[in-house]
Amino acid sequence: MKASIKDVVRRGHLGALSAVVLGAVVVTVLPGCGDSNIFVLQPLASKPSTITIEDSGEKAAYIPSTTETIKWGRLPNATDVPLVTITSGSVVVFDTLSHEGLLEDQGRNPADYFGSHDVEKQYVLDDAIEIAGSSINHDFYKDGPHIVTGPIAIEGAMPGDVLKVEVLNLIPRVPYGVISNRHSKGALPGEFPETPRPSEP
């Protein structure tokens, strides 16, 4: 499978941002979200696989975000089975997801949530829709909000080893983003947001 960065990302399209403020949530959409030259980086596969980076010909492990490859609201730990085992020096491409639009207080429906902020469904990630619509367990009041893809193992690495991770590239998968703050979570949880705290079930 080949993945060309230049085929899916239009460079130099970072004009002025528009923001919609809703209480403690800001949804920012890049101008031209409906432009046919703006692409969304949808998943390349439904399970971990090997891809070829077209620009360099280099092989890379590819880890999509699916109900089988993520932890929602918790971090991987020693009891989790690695999705793949790689050798030192390998290149790994991760699809990552934001929890925004997937959380229960946003309807657990990213197409509807982002649609309410003028993001067309074609610009909503398929994996976000799949995970939000799945039966994967997530307790809004007890679990953390974040979706974490992984874990992976490095051949020969032992507990206590220090790993060097070099980030080669970061590419936004969609032309919009969300900034939010929730009660009892995130930065300054006792102070923000200033709106009344919702009642727990």
Side-chain angles (χ1 to χ4, degrees), residues 1 3 5 8-9 40-49 51 53 60-71 83 92-98 125-128 130-131 147-152 169-174:
M1 180 183 313
I5 291 169
V8 291
V9 176
V40 173
L41 294 175
Q42 295 289 7
L44 296 172
S46 60
K47 60 184 180 179
S49 56
I51 62 171
I53 306 298
Y62 169 69
I63 313 295
S65 291
T66 70
T67 56
E68 304 298 319
T69 64
I70 64 146
K71 310 290 180 246
L83 301 171
V92 181
V93 175
F94 289 95
D95 278 348
T96 59
L97 281 178
S98 170
L125 293 168
D126 292 342
D127 39 358
E130 177 189 346
I131 289 168
I147 293 175
V148 179
T149 305
I152 63 170
N169 206 346
L170 296 171
I171 302 172
R173 295 181 65 200
V174 293

Side-chain angles (χ1 to χ4, degrees), residues 153-171:
I154 291 88
E155 197 173 285
M158 301 296 291
D161 286 353
V162 175
L163 301 178
K164 175 185 174 185
V165 178
E166 185 179 353
V167 177
L168 302 176
N169 206 346
L170 296 171
I171 302 172

Side-chain angles (χ1 to χ4, degrees), residues 129-146:
I129 293 170
E130 177 189 346
I131 289 168
S134 75
S135 60
I136 192 169
N137 188 32
H138 181 260
D139 185 319
F140 179 75
Y141 295 99
K142 294 180 182 175
D143 296 333
H146 300 287

